[in-house]
Structures are given as structure tokens and as C-alpha cells.
Amino acid sequence: MAFPQLVRSSELSPHQTRSGLACLRDTITERGWPPLIWTRPDGYKLCADPAELQAYEVAVIRGKLTEIRRFITGTVAPHAVLQPKGRWIKHLNTQLNSVESTLDVIADFTDADA
């Protein structure tokens, strides 16, 4: 079931549905059940297939990498151009460089396995 279908069928708001899915993921983890994943053909489901889990994790990581890189290039970089010596920008750049380096390593790892 796709997310909009889940919202409609549960008669909850999108926020409530996301919160419910987060709670469900926590419960699944606590009980040692197979992870909850989402795929285009099947929607949400519990999955124990290692190949399918890895494909899902790679897709999630790539999505997060894209979000973070867009934040850096679309928000932080223009702000840094305006105030290159600002204390906040120096701190933020240090933190983001560290995160980006870590994510690059993860991306390299997932690309090698894909």
C-alpha cells in the first residue's frame, strides 16, 4: 500500500500516519521482527530477504545524501558567500564537511555493493 493509500484508509493525517509508521518501526525493532520497508510494487511490508533489504537501504541512503547535498549547496553555500567569516558558517561548514565525508564513504560502499 502506498503512503497516500495508507493515509486514506487509516483516516489519519499524513503527520499521524508518519508518526504511526515510526512507532511501528520502533516496535518491530524491539521485538526482533524483520524490518519494515517500502517498495514501489508492494508498498509497505516486512522484509527478511537480504538482497531486497540492501536495495532498500541503498535507496534510502542515496535519498538522504541527495537531501544533505541540496541543503549544503542550496542553503549553506549561498549563506557562506554572504558571510564567509561568520562564526556560525565556520561551525556549520566544519560539521557538514565531517558529515559529507562520512556519507561519501557510505556511498562508495553502497556503490561497490550495487
Side-chain angles (χ1 to χ4, degrees):
M1 180 179 296
F3 185 78
Q5 294 169 318
L6 188 57
V7 171
R8 282 193 304 273
S9 66
S10 67
E11 297 182 0
L12 298 172
S13 71
H15 173 76
Q16 290 170 321
T17 304
R18 276 189 209 91
S19 295
L21 286 168
C23 182
L24 179 59
R25 284 190 170 103
D26 290 343
T27 301
I28 286 168
T29 301
E30 289 170 3
R31 296 185 181 177
W33 295 347
L36 178 69
I37 67 168
W38 184 87
T39 62
R40 189 174 303 272
D42 300 323
Y44 290 98
K45 66 178 184 172
L46 298 175
C47 178
D49 176 33
E52 198 170 3
L53 282 170
Q54 184 173 353
Y56 173 75
E57 290 165 357
V58 167
V60 169
I61 288 169
R62 285 190 176 137
K64 295 297 177 187
L65 283 171
T66 300
E67 272 182 51
I68 291 169
R69 287 198 173 104
R70 284 182 180 158
F71 171 70
I72 291 169
T73 59
T75 303
V76 176
H79 185 187
V81 168
L82 295 173
Q83 296 180 333
K85 296 182 182 196
R87 193 170 134 206
W88 169 247
I89 289 300
K90 287 179 184 179
H91 173 72
L92 195 54
N93 278 335
T94 301
Q95 296 299 316
L96 288 172
N97 285 335
S98 173
V99 168
E100 192 170 28
S101 295
T102 302
L103 292 174
D104 285 340
V105 170
I106 292 170
D108 291 343
F109 176 76
T110 57
D111 288 341
D113 287 345

